[in-house]
Amino acid sequence: MSSTGELYQHFGVAVYTRSYEVREMADLDWLKARFDVMQRHVKINKVYLETHRDTVMADRATIEGARRFFADRGVETAGGITYTVNERNRFETYCYTRPDSRAKVREIAEFTASLFDEFILDDFFFTNCKCPACIEAKGDRSWTEYRLGLMAEAAQSLVVGPAKAVNPNVRVIIKYPNWYEHFPALGFNLELQPAVFDGLYTGTETRDSVVSMQHLQPYESYQLVRYLESLKPGANFGGWVDPGGAMTIDRYAEQLWLTVFAKAPECTLFDFRSLQMPLHPMQRAPWQGDRPAAPRAWGVGVDFDRMIADYRKEDGTFVPEANFSLAAGYAFELADAVMGELGGPVGVASYRPYHGTSGEDFLHNYLGMIGIPIALQATFPSAAETVLLTEAAKHDPDIVAKISAHLLQGKKVVVTSGLYRALQGGKPGSTIEDIAELEVTGAKATVNEFLMGWRTRVASKGPITIPHVRYMTNDSWEEISGLTETTGHPLLHSAAYGPGVLYVLTIPDNLDDLYKLPDAVLARIREVVVADLPLYADAPAQVSLFAYDNDTVIIESFLPEVTDVTLVAAKGVAGVCDVLTGEALQGEPVLDWRQQPTGATHFTAKVGPHMFRLFRFTQE
């Protein structure tokens, strides 16, 4: 508990402290001055005290003194380890091949277990070492194959096993970082390691998608929590965010509340030092001035001016206490106020094998950003009515058979053009062409207009280059076509197989071009892919929908302007209301091309820039 006895009602908040700052905690006055400010802004229930980073070790006496300090304030402590030799040298890791390096890794784990009943490994329990010993040990194997085996072995023999030998009660947690598509190449083994560790943790720091080197889409802060939960159900203990790349405070806050919207039980703030970094007037986003005076007219978001009102100096700058801990506390209060209304997360069932990598890196996050709620899992979701598969699924050698079996049950499978291309050309009887004779060719087309049905033509927000899909007339059907001057190219294609339907979704060469698709095209794609849910959002790209199993949805806009959103509800939905304001949305029947009611209803709303709204729908 915090010193006031108050905590957030629906999640815990922890602060991670690097070994550099842990060493400073030998001066308890230094610690008190900084932690008191932090705790005024954020309801902190745990602090992780790191024992090692960059060969810098915190000593036992300092750690024990810090633990007493936090215990006196009702705050839990746990240990942390970062297995880097030199983080500044492109994250130089320990070598898990050489005996001297392996001995040091073991020694650090044993020391940490002697101090704590729980410790977490920061992002860096991987290896990028290519020293002569590693090269020799690798032999003829690929680096991926070698490192997957090496790090699964190291998890047990160098970390968890030695730690539990010292302290049988210790709980050892591995934090997996945000670059999950590339895990296998560096040795993060999602198939074997979760069984070794007592729990997992999720890197939800998506930062800025443009100026940060990883270029991750905001939706990943939600999606990755759910994926890792599928690896070890009930043992994904939290998400982890830092203020790096926070060009605006809105972007920092979004990472925090998306983490808890995914039902992460704890959110860790990295780190003790970063939370003391002062806010800057330039972190007030340009769209802040466009927000309404009524705080909830268009949803919930960070009101920058209100947040720093008590901390602004006469010259427009802020007092030192206006730091990232202030922003974190503000964001958590917004999230905690809505979490009690949410059930369990649900979404479109999708499958990424444990070591799946592809040319469609992080595509699930882009799909989430075009309004498709993703429920990514590490095993094939055979119970789902609709399954969405990207190119990563090619790493399952039985994937064609699983697709066929699913369709023969009268269900739907949506595959991307990247997956179809990877699976085509196999042996008859075991190839994707046995389901639908298509070909994702090497030809490309740059389109800027789309045709849906026989008549509806809509323009995109710019030119989009897509692969050309060749098909057999009357064996399969174009649902959406991308148009060039004299011809068309399938964007969404369908083919019957037994009682089921296979859809092929063509993915642009540049994934960002998904955001250029016309709103009507996006709506049609969602109509197919999100059909198992009671409603979907008809909105521009970069507006996401988060769905829950108690008839609630969150609509979040990552756009810099007020956006019109239409919730399209299937037959049987009687009404939709804003949970926080009580506003009932006006419903109108959805008409088909003949202007006849389809049985569905649409409800319109506005969402403010970088804000979210919470809706509940009622069944007839």
Side-chain angles (χ1 to χ4, degrees):
M1 294 175 61
S2 67
S3 59
T4 62
E6 296 181 357
L7 295 175
Y8 300 107
Q9 294 184 24
H10 304 290
F11 50 84
V13 172
V15 174
Y16 191 90
T17 313
R18 305 182 311 160
S19 61
Y20 296 102
E21 284 70 48
V22 173
R23 294 197 307 177
E24 296 292 330
M25 291 178 179
D27 181 348
L28 294 180
D29 291 334
W30 178 94
L31 172 56
K32 182 178 186 304
R34 286 154 180 78
F35 188 71
D36 284 354
V37 172
M38 242 180 259
Q39 202 172 30
R40 278 198 292 273
H41 296 321
V42 185
K43 299 171 184 177
I44 300 167
N45 59 279
K46 182 189 287 187
V47 174
Y48 290 99
L49 299 171
E50 189 177 77
T51 59
H52 172 277
R53 175 182 296 254
D54 297 347
T55 73
V56 173
M57 295 285 292
D59 66 86
R60 182 179 295 273
T62 297
I63 292 172
E64 290 176 341
R67 293 192 67 184
R68 288 192 294 270
F69 172 91
F70 291 115
D72 289 344
R73 287 157 176 76
V75 177
E76 290 180 63
T77 51
I81 298 173
T82 298
Y83 278 120
T84 49
V85 174
N86 186 352
E87 190 175 357
R88 296 174 182 83
N89 183 26
R90 299 195 170 185
F91 307 123
E92 180 185 355
T93 67
Y94 279 91
C95 173
Y96 292 85
T97 304
R98 296 196 313 270
D100 61 327
S101 184
R102 289 170 62 88
K104 186 64 176 177
V105 170
R106 176 193 292 265
E107 175 190 323
I108 295 165
E110 292 170 338
F111 174 70
T112 307
S114 73
L115 286 160
F116 298 98
D117 287 335
E118 174 183 293
F119 68 84
I120 189 170
L121 306 187
D122 192 1
D123 282 357
F124 301 98
F125 189 63
F126 63 84
T127 179
N128 53 22
C129 183
K130 291 184 179 179
C131 71
C134 287
I135 293 171
E136 181 180 0
K138 179 183 84 72
D140 294 335
R141 290 172 289 178
S142 69
W143 282 109
T144 293
E145 185 180 8
Y146 174 62
R147 288 169 170 172
L148 282 172
L150 177 66
M151 297 309 293
E153 176 272 329
Q156 177 59 49
S157 63
L158 301 184
V159 179
V160 177
K164 291 185 181 290
V166 170
N167 178 0
N169 297 320
V170 71
R171 186 167 75 160
V172 186
I173 302 164
I174 182 170
K175 182 219 170 186
Y176 287 117
N178 52 24
W179 40 278
Y180 66 97
E181 288 278 10
H182 306 150
F183 280 177
L186 281 296
F188 279 124
N189 192 320
L190 298 186
E191 182 177 14
L192 300 179
Q193 284 178 339
V196 174
F197 289 95
D198 297 294
L200 316 178
Y201 223 86
T202 310
T204 53
E205 59 275 76
T206 48
R207 307 186 182 102
D208 186 277
S209 63
V210 178
V211 301
S212 64
M213 289 186 293
Q214 294 170 315
H215 310 296
L216 300 171
Q217 303 306 298
Y219 188 84
E220 186 180 326
S221 291
Y222 173 93
Q223 186 271 121
L224 188 54
V225 175
R226 303 311 310 159
Y227 179 58
L228 295 187
E229 173 68 16
S230 79
L231 301 180
K232 196 176 178 77
N236 184 7
F237 295 140
W240 176 303
V241 175
D242 65 47
M247 307 303 289
T248 69
I249 291 303
D250 286 336
R251 184 77 279 275
Y252 178 58
E254 286 163 350
Q255 297 169 81
L256 299 176
W257 64 54
L258 289 183
T259 299
V260 298
F261 287 170
K263 291 301 181 85
E266 179 179 270
C267 187
T268 288
L269 301 172
F270 184 93
D271 64 335
F272 192 91
R273 174 199 56 163
S274 299
L275 287 172
Q276 301 166 47
M277 294 193 309
L279 302 180
H280 191 280
M282 290 185 67
Q283 289 168 320
R284 181 188 186 274
W287 52 79
Q288 284 277 336
D290 296 331
R291 287 179 171 165
R296 290 182 175 171
W298 296 332
V300 177
V302 174
D303 186 325
F304 190 91
D305 295 327
R306 179 177 296 181
M307 181 180 71
I308 53 84
D310 295 333
Y311 305 97
R312 190 191 293 273
K313 299 180 183 178
E314 290 184 3
D315 64 1
T317 59
F318 314 139
V319 300
E321 190 166 329
N323 55 29
F324 271 88
S325 68
L326 171 65
Y330 193 97
F332 283 135
E333 292 293 344
L334 296 177
D336 199 40
V338 305
M339 290 302 296
E341 304 290 342
L342 305 178
V346 294
V348 178
S350 192
Y351 169 46
R352 178 185 179 275
Y354 296 111
H355 308 314
T357 57
S358 72
E360 295 177 337
D361 276 4
F362 303 102
L363 175 57
H364 291 99
N365 304 320
Y366 285 89
L367 297 176
M369 293 294 289
I370 63 170
I372 299 173
I374 299 294
L376 188 61
Q377 50 198 279
T379 55
F380 188 88
S382 56
E385 288 297 315
T386 301
V387 174
L388 171 63
L389 300 174
T390 70
E391 188 179 343
K394 70 185 180 183
H395 289 269
D396 182 342
D398 299 320
I399 190 61
V400 173
K402 291 175 180 177
I403 293 171
S404 175
H406 206 73
L407 296 172
L408 290 173
Q409 295 177 52
K411 299 180 179 182
K412 292 191 306 185
V413 178
V414 181
V415 303
T416 63
S417 52
L419 177 60
Y420 195 99
R421 181 180 58 243
L423 298 178
Q424 69 188 17
K427 294 180 180 179
S430 61
T431 182
I432 192 73
E433 290 100 320
D434 294 324
I435 297 173
E437 287 193 89
L438 308 174
E439 180 188 3
V440 180
T441 70
K444 306 285 184 182
T446 299
V447 302
N448 53 25
E449 190 177 19
F450 296 86
L451 175 69
M452 297 186 297
W454 293 98
R455 297 180 179 85
T456 305
R457 295 170 69 131
V458 288
S460 64
K461 299 168 186 176
I464 301 173
T465 300
I466 59 175
H468 174 67
V469 178
R470 178 175 173 267
Y471 65 97
M472 304 298 151
T473 300
N474 291 331
D475 183 60
S476 58
W477 302 88
E478 291 187 32
E479 303 286 343
I480 306 173
S481 304
L483 304 181
T484 50
E485 187 172 348
T486 60
T487 189
H489 310 267
L491 184 80
L492 181 67
H493 207 75
S494 67
Y497 185 73
V501 181
L502 176 76
Y503 289 89
V504 178
L505 176 62
T506 303
I507 302 299
D509 285 5
N510 180 355
L511 298 185
D512 283 2
D513 285 349
L514 287 166
Y515 301 163
K516 294 180 182 178
L517 290 173
D519 295 355
V521 168
L522 291 174
R524 174 61 181 140
I525 293 171
R526 297 182 197 114
E527 184 181 6
V528 169
V529 180
V530 191
D532 296 349
L533 300 182
L535 52 76
Y536 65 89
D538 183 355
Q542 301 187 71
V543 174
S544 295
L545 182 145
F546 306 93
Y548 300 86
D549 64 5
N550 66 336
D551 297 340
T552 57
V553 295
I554 290 173
I555 301 292
E556 172 140 9
S557 173
F558 300 96
L559 294 170
E561 65 273 339
V562 180
T563 303
D564 291 318
V565 175
T566 299
L567 295 177
V568 182
K571 184 177 181 180
V573 173
V576 177
C577 72
D578 184 309
V579 175
L580 300 180
T581 66
E583 174 194 0
L585 303 186
Q586 184 66 41
E588 296 183 8
V590 176
L591 306 179
D592 63 16
W593 65 275
R594 295 168 299 180
Q595 299 301 298
Q596 297 299 310
T598 64
T601 308
H602 66 239
F603 302 84
T604 58
K606 292 184 181 294
V607 182
H610 291 266
M611 302 176 79
F612 66 85
R613 294 186 70 173
L614 172 62
F615 297 104
R616 175 172 287 113
F617 54 92
T618 54
Q619 306 280 357
E620 290 181 350

